[in-house]
Amino acid sequence: MQATSRDWRANLRRLFQRSHFILGEELRAFEVEFAAALGGRFSVGVANGTSAIELCLREAGVTSGEVITSALTAPFSGVGIRASGATPRFADIDPGTLQIDAADVAARITSRTRALMPVHLYGQPCELDRFAKLARKHRIPLIQDAAQAHGATFKGKPIAAFSQHVAYSFYPTKNLGCMGDGGAVITDNAATRDVLVVLRDGGRHGDQIAHSFGVNSRLDELQCCFLRAFLPHLTAWNAHRARIAAIYDEELRGCVRPVKRTEGSVHHLYVIRADRRDQLREHLAARGIGTAVHYPVPLHKHPAFAQRGSLPHAERAVTEIVSLPLWPYMKESAARKVAGEIRRFYGRT
């Protein structure tokens, strides 16, 4: 916060002088800056990442049928699909990268499939070229869940180059987070942008009349004050995350199995697959080192989304994965300490 405080304080002063807290100057400026920084033409700020998914689907005309997405993701991916009126259908993952498996998705496409929604899990882009090809073949929209992938690229291109809808979250723990909830959609299509702007504001056209059935989903000015201050640091923050990940790679070689990272990753999380995972977490917690599991239950096993059948790679992964500490200002010595404690747990000192 210290590195950005001058900018966000200045933004807040201007905001309170104007006293225009919703759909004002800070949002308009941030939308331009965010799109430019991530290689898109337009962005539309919304209330959160879940709403970004819902509005992408609704703008694409997907309000029924099925949307295929990953079984290994946050439940909000499924919630966003349900909110649009569609039903999530889950596909298995690649056992190496834990990204949604394009081949498994292809096998699950039916006459009920209305859209594909790959998730760029842990900040690592999935096989966008294959998903784009599938979407074109079946003439259905490709909606990207990029809630963890701010700044990610695929084969040297911004991920926005591969589809008309890219949904982001600004939850505080994201690579680009705000001080509460927030989200955005990036698109290269002006017509898509225009529809999203109406949908997020109750279907209004800048007046007091609901011309279409929209929602109340607006990224507020207060959050934009912080996001505008944080955005210029995103590239440097992502680069530091990559350095910490490289230290983990070096220090943990031959000890645990890091999840394979794809090219263009922004290293949102550093995830390993570990034997005796729960005991390892207890060992680290006893030494003041926090960890997490992203995610403990695959979505097809959630009561809200229950889906018949087995997805073996996802079901196995959730029993082994653990996320290690990783943040933009994490000291390299801290990463080496974490790795040292993991080696000690496995008797690899």
Side-chain angles (χ1 to χ4, degrees):
M1 291 289 285
Q2 185 175 1
T4 61
S5 62
R6 184 180 66 176
D7 290 336
W8 58 255
R9 289 178 189 277
N11 294 343
L12 286 171
R13 281 194 297 271
R14 290 195 302 271
L15 171 62
F16 284 103
Q17 288 169 358
R18 289 191 298 262
S19 296
H20 186 175
F21 297 102
I22 301 291
L23 298 181
E25 293 297 324
E26 296 299 324
L27 171 63
R28 284 191 283 272
F30 173 70
E31 288 176 331
V32 171
E33 294 160 1
F34 184 60
L38 271 67
R41 288 184 63 198
F42 309 105
S43 75
V44 178
V46 298
N48 51 63
T50 309
S51 187
I53 291 170
E54 174 192 354
L55 293 181
C56 283
L57 289 166
R58 290 186 57 188
E59 192 284 330
V62 181
T63 56
S64 63
E66 297 179 346
V67 176
I68 301 179
T69 193
S70 177
L72 184 59
T73 180
F76 297 102
S77 299
V79 170
I81 293 170
R82 288 291 296 271
S84 75
T87 299
R89 179 169 173 78
F90 303 108
D92 210 349
I93 57 173
D94 178 281
T97 64
L98 305 192
Q99 301 296 311
I100 184 171
D101 186 342
D104 192 62
V105 169
R108 294 176 186 277
I109 295 175
T110 70
S111 60
R112 298 185 298 277
T113 305
R114 298 290 182 270
L116 306 180
M117 195 180 83
V119 179
H120 303 302
L121 191 69
Y122 307 150
Q124 304 175 119
C126 60
E127 297 177 300
L128 273 174
D129 51 355
R130 296 182 67 184
F131 284 104
K133 184 176 180 180
L134 276 175
R136 288 193 300 270
K137 176 182 177 181
H138 294 277
R139 299 181 180 180
I140 54 178
L142 176 63
I143 313 294
Q144 298 181 54
D145 181 343
Q148 301 180 355
H150 307 72
T153 59
F154 183 76
K155 295 188 175 180
K157 296 180 181 179
I159 60 176
F162 292 87
S163 78
Q164 193 169 307
H165 304 85
V166 189
Y168 289 91
S169 166
F170 301 129
Y171 187 78
T173 60
K174 305 301 185 185
N175 290 42
L176 180 65
C178 58
M179 306 304 289
D181 262 326
V185 177
I186 282 188
T187 181
D188 283 346
N189 187 289
T192 295
R193 185 271 312 270
D194 293 344
V195 172
L196 289 170
V197 166
V198 171
L199 285 176
R200 75 175 175 190
D201 191 30
R204 303 187 301 177
H205 293 181
D207 52 24
Q208 297 301 319
I209 299 172
H211 298 272
S212 58
F213 181 62
V215 298
N216 186 352
S217 178
R218 301 168 298 200
L219 180 61
D220 67 70
E221 295 288 285
L222 186 67
Q223 301 304 339
C224 291
C225 287
F226 290 99
L227 287 166
R228 292 190 67 201
F230 298 161
L231 180 60
H233 299 266
L234 177 62
T235 299
W237 289 345
N238 285 347
H240 185 74
R241 287 175 177 271
R243 287 194 291 273
I244 297 299
I247 289 173
Y248 280 142
D249 286 345
E250 174 189 353
E251 298 284 332
L252 294 173
R253 187 174 292 115
C255 181
V256 293
R257 294 165 290 157
V259 170
K260 182 180 178 182
R261 296 190 298 282
T262 58
E263 183 181 357
S265 172
V266 291
H267 307 86
H268 174 62
L269 295 172
Y270 188 92
V271 181
I272 62 173
R273 301 184 74 153
D275 297 329
R276 294 182 287 144
R277 190 264 311 274
D278 295 341
Q279 293 91 330
L280 171 63
R281 295 189 67 202
E282 291 172 2
H283 171 86
L284 295 175
R287 289 152 181 81
I289 299 171
T291 60
V293 177
H294 298 91
Y295 296 91
V297 180
L299 262 59
H300 67 294
K301 297 293 186 181
H302 287 220
F305 309 122
Q307 176 180 302
R308 292 180 180 178
S310 175
L311 301 176
H313 294 308
E315 290 166 20
R316 179 174 179 179
V318 298
T319 68
E320 301 173 344
I321 52 176
V322 56
S323 303
L324 303 185
L326 176 62
W327 64 89
Y329 294 107
M330 183 178 183
K331 294 182 178 180
E332 295 183 5
S333 59
R336 297 188 190 279
K337 177 183 176 182
V338 172
E341 288 298 338
I342 294 173
R343 292 198 309 271
R344 184 170 291 109
F345 175 79
Y346 288 110
R348 304 282 180 89
T349 57

